[in-house]
Amino acid sequence: MGLQCQLGGTAMQTLKLAAIPSSPARFIFKPSSSCSISFLSCLNPSRAHRPPPPFAFLTRALSSSALQTAPAAKDGVDTKGVTRSQWKAAIDFKWIRDNKDAVAVNIKNRNSVANLEAVLELYDKMLAVQKEVERLRGERNSVANKMKGKLEPLERQKLIEEGKNLKEGLVTLEEDLLRLTDELQAEAQCIPNMTHPDVPIGAEDSSIVRKMVGSPREFSFPIKDHLQLGKDLDLFDFDAAAEVSGSKFYYLKNEGVLLEMALVNWTLAEVMKKGFIPLTTPEIVRSSTVEKCGFQPRGDNTQVYSIEGSDQCLIGTAEIPVGGIHMDSILAESQLPLKYVAFSHCFRTEAGAAGAATRGLYRVHQFSKVEMFIICRPEESDSYHEELIKIEEDLFSALGLHFKTLDMSSEDLGAPAYRKFDIEAWMPGFGRYGEISSASNCTDYQSRRLGIRYRPSEQAATNMKKSKGNLGPTKFVHTLNATACAVPRMIVCLLENYQQEDGSVTIPAQLRPYMGGLELVARKSY
């Protein structure tokens, strides 16, 4: 239950906490909260020289013209009290029906909760009602045309009654059609993206190591974890933060602050060299924007902090506000690719997380992160996915970390991801590898809900003398995201891997210019 506080006569809205899903692949969406999973294309023309993979035909994108519905009322309810979705994804229901076997296999492989049978049933019902609506509209128009001529009073009265009955029946059917299209939209948005043919099928342990960099450091002395190092070197304070904010919050202190700033600034500088545009983003966004990016802001299973009494949420990643920056726009092909590197604070509920592997800075409610985001043409997304993972690997290699890159399995993919690569670094204090980044190709999953399209230059040139209405069709862009630096986990890696026998920690050479030349973090004399 939310608490309303009054400060100087101004009400402060409070955050409402909810639980997270046990696995990224298990998003549960309810029709009442307008779930946010739609179907994607996954075409890769750059691999045209290779034999087509099984289900290669499934890469076809969904047509935005496949569903024609009236615009939703602003508050989600029309003037007749019919509940309506506030936004609609461009889903080709006919395509889903025509390819139902392959769609069903993909849902099973991803361990998705999507209900394909419900989608197909609702689609058939919607078509039937739509056909009846069109029939009644035709009859009503016919009656209206008959009344334009000279008629006997009795005949005119008969037509008036017939028209009235048709109108009443049409109103009822149109309301039914709105309800059906909204139910269909809610169910179909739960269908996950198709999956890259090279993705290993199965649970997380089916993920494949595609690259291993370096080897674990061998210590000649008893090692400490980052919690002990941070306490000894006075770098952070969890106890005070727990009193102020609750568990899984922290204060950074002394060189810990400098280390965070150095990581952020060094990462931004390195990624900007690759042609990325730097951004800072809003950290409160509309719930609908969160949904369109593939996250569930409301409900029982969410990582999102929602602001009670509003339609706003705190972001869990800069991917959300960066994805929304070109929402409902048509880009020129010459603008693509758009490459952004964004710094933001991130907020995640992390409810249910427990165990030694989540202690300290590894899993917290608030943290700083540098995120990369690319908007590109569909045929280029696979190559940009490779570019993103190479940038990540180069960054972590430059810091001297030992890590492995994983091609994640189908059940570990979030619903938007066509393919995802994770990087896990060795953390000596935990005695295990821990995830420090991921890079996902979401194809047109997000752009079809965010409404981000582009107009191919050839079409624009061919139709330049024609009216705007006669221009060639636009296409949906592809979006990709990747973590450049999740600050707390990078601090875990650096403290634990660079600790010395005397309890000090060496600063990697790349970060020293961003820390005033500091080379070592040692115990304080006070």
Side-chain angles (χ1 to χ4, degrees):
M1 183 173 181
L3 174 66
Q4 295 291 332
C5 301
Q6 297 284 341
L7 292 178
T10 302
M12 295 181 63
Q13 291 170 316
T14 60
L15 301 178
K16 189 172 184 178
L17 184 64
I20 65 167
S22 58
S23 166
R26 295 179 176 84
F27 288 95
I28 299 176
F29 294 81
K30 305 292 185 183
S32 62
S33 61
S34 184
C35 61
S36 56
I37 307 302
S38 75
F39 215 73
L40 319 179
S41 67
C42 29
L43 184 59
N44 181 9
S46 65
R47 298 188 177 183
H49 63 284
R50 295 175 50 180
F55 299 136
F57 68 95
L58 295 177
T59 59
R60 176 185 176 280
L62 300 185
S63 168
S64 60
S65 61
L67 176 64
Q68 306 239 349
T69 58
K74 191 170 185 180
D75 61 356
V77 179
D78 69 9
T79 54
K80 294 181 175 59
V82 180
T83 302
R84 306 169 68 176
S85 299
Q86 294 189 13
W87 61 274
K88 294 228 180 341
I91 302 174
D92 188 340
F93 302 110
K94 181 179 182 299
W95 188 89
I96 295 175
R97 183 185 63 185
D98 293 346
N99 298 280
K100 61 181 181 180
D101 291 341
V103 174
V105 169
N106 187 62
I107 289 173
K108 180 180 178 181
N109 287 344
R110 296 174 72 120
N111 197 26
S112 169
V113 298
N115 189 340
L116 179 59
E117 292 304 317
V119 171
L120 298 176
E121 182 180 348
L122 286 167
Y123 180 55
D124 288 340
K125 288 181 179 179
M126 187 199 73
L127 289 179
V129 174
Q130 196 171 54
K131 185 176 181 180
E132 185 64 12
V133 166
E134 291 169 357
R135 185 186 69 80
L136 289 183
R137 285 173 179 169
E139 289 187 12
R140 186 182 63 176
N141 291 338
S142 177
V143 169
N145 288 332
K146 289 179 182 179
M147 293 183 64
K148 293 178 181 178
K150 292 183 178 181
L151 300 169
E152 293 294 327
L154 288 178
E155 186 176 358
R156 180 175 293 278
Q157 185 59 36
K158 181 180 177 181
L159 288 174
I160 290 173
E161 289 297 322
E162 185 178 354
K164 180 180 178 181
N165 291 334
L166 286 170
K167 180 179 179 181
E168 290 175 352
L170 192 57
V171 167
T172 300
L173 280 176
E174 286 174 338
E175 290 177 352
D176 290 342
L177 184 60
L178 283 174
R179 291 190 183 95
L180 281 171
T181 54
D182 280 346
E183 289 178 25
L184 176 58
Q185 188 57 216
E187 288 290 348
Q189 285 176 18
C190 293
I191 297 176
N193 189 0
M194 292 306 288
T195 306
H196 190 288
D198 292 342
V199 168
I201 304 301
E204 184 177 358
D205 56 7
S206 300
S207 300
I208 297 172
V209 177
R210 66 175 242 161
K211 187 174 185 179
M212 185 75 77
V213 175
S215 58
R217 178 186 168 189
E218 295 184 2
F219 294 89
S220 59
F221 55 89
I223 61 173
K224 302 175 182 177
D225 64 14
H226 74 283
L227 272 171
Q228 188 61 51
L229 288 164
K231 181 178 180 181
D232 293 346
L233 300 174
D234 198 20
L235 300 181
F236 34 76
D237 191 333
F238 282 91
D239 294 336
E243 292 295 324
V244 172
S245 303
S247 64
K248 297 187 182 298
F249 288 94
Y250 59 96
Y251 287 97
L252 286 181
K253 301 170 63 179
N254 301 311
E255 293 91 347
V257 176
L258 300 182
L259 187 54
E260 168 162 327
M261 300 301 178
L263 282 166
V264 169
N265 288 312
W266 174 74
T267 302
L268 285 171
E270 292 299 306
V271 178
M272 286 169 60
K273 293 176 184 177
K274 308 295 184 181
F276 284 70
I277 301 167
L279 291 175
T280 59
T281 73
E283 293 170 359
I284 294 178
V285 296
R286 297 185 187 278
S287 299
S288 59
T289 306
V290 179
E291 292 173 354
K292 291 174 185 180
C293 288
F295 302 91
Q296 185 191 14
R298 313 284 179 179
D300 296 331
N301 297 295
T302 181
Q303 294 192 55
V304 179
Y305 281 109
S306 295
I307 301 177
E308 191 171 350
S310 80
D311 68 342
Q312 295 172 312
C313 304
L314 299 181
I315 64 170
T317 170
E319 170 191 345
I320 296 167
V322 179
I325 199 170
H326 294 290
M327 189 162 53
D328 299 323
S329 62
I330 299 176
L331 304 169
E333 186 173 19
S334 59
Q335 292 178 266
L336 302 178
L338 287 168
K339 299 180 178 182
Y340 294 108
V341 54
F343 169 75
S344 74
H345 298 101
C346 304
F347 306 86
R348 300 184 185 181
T349 67
E350 302 293 4
T358 65
R359 69 181 184 272
L361 292 172
Y362 189 82
R363 196 177 298 280
V364 290
H365 290 316
Q366 176 183 334
F367 58 96
S368 301
K369 183 158 72 80
V370 179
E371 184 81 0
M372 297 180 286
F373 195 91
I374 294 179
I375 298 173
C376 67
R377 297 185 303 170
E379 60 268 27
E380 297 174 331
S381 64
D382 274 347
S383 62
Y384 282 121
H385 199 192
E386 293 292 338
E387 178 180 324
L388 286 172
I389 196 64
K390 186 178 187 305
I391 291 173
E392 290 179 327
E393 290 173 344
D394 288 347
L395 290 171
F396 305 143
S397 295
L399 292 176
L401 300 181
H402 164 50
F403 61 86
K404 58 183 178 180
T405 304
L406 300 166
D407 191 350
M408 301 308 292
S409 62
S410 59
E411 291 186 22
D412 197 66
L413 299 179
Y418 169 53
R419 192 178 196 182
K420 180 169 72 108
F421 299 126
D422 279 4
I423 292 181
E424 296 183 355
W426 180 250
M427 300 178 179
F430 285 138
R432 63 184 286 273
Y433 292 94
E435 180 189 341
I436 58 172
S437 75
S438 65
S440 298
N441 182 358
C442 295
T443 62
D444 61 357
Y445 168 86
Q446 293 173 326
S447 64
R448 285 181 173 274
R449 270 164 307 235
L450 291 166
I452 310 174
R453 298 172 288 165
Y454 77 99
R455 194 177 301 283
S457 56
E458 290 183 7
Q459 293 177 357
T462 302
N463 295 279
M464 64 191 316
K465 293 184 179 181
K466 298 181 181 181
S467 66
K468 183 177 180 181
N470 292 328
L471 288 175
T474 57
K475 295 181 179 181
F476 285 99
V477 299
H478 279 195
T479 62
L480 304 97
N481 62 84
T483 309
C485 179
V487 171
R489 293 191 182 182
M490 291 304 294
I491 291 178
V492 171
C493 289
L494 296 178
L495 292 182
E496 293 187 357
N497 281 285
Y498 281 93
Q499 61 181 295
Q500 305 301 311
E501 187 171 7
D502 63 359
S504 63
V505 173
T506 303
I507 300 298
Q510 286 74 13
L511 301 181
R512 293 173 189 173
Y514 298 89
M515 296 183 67
L518 185 67
E519 298 181 5
L520 192 74
V521 181
R523 283 178 177 269
K524 310 298 182 293
S525 57
Y526 52 82

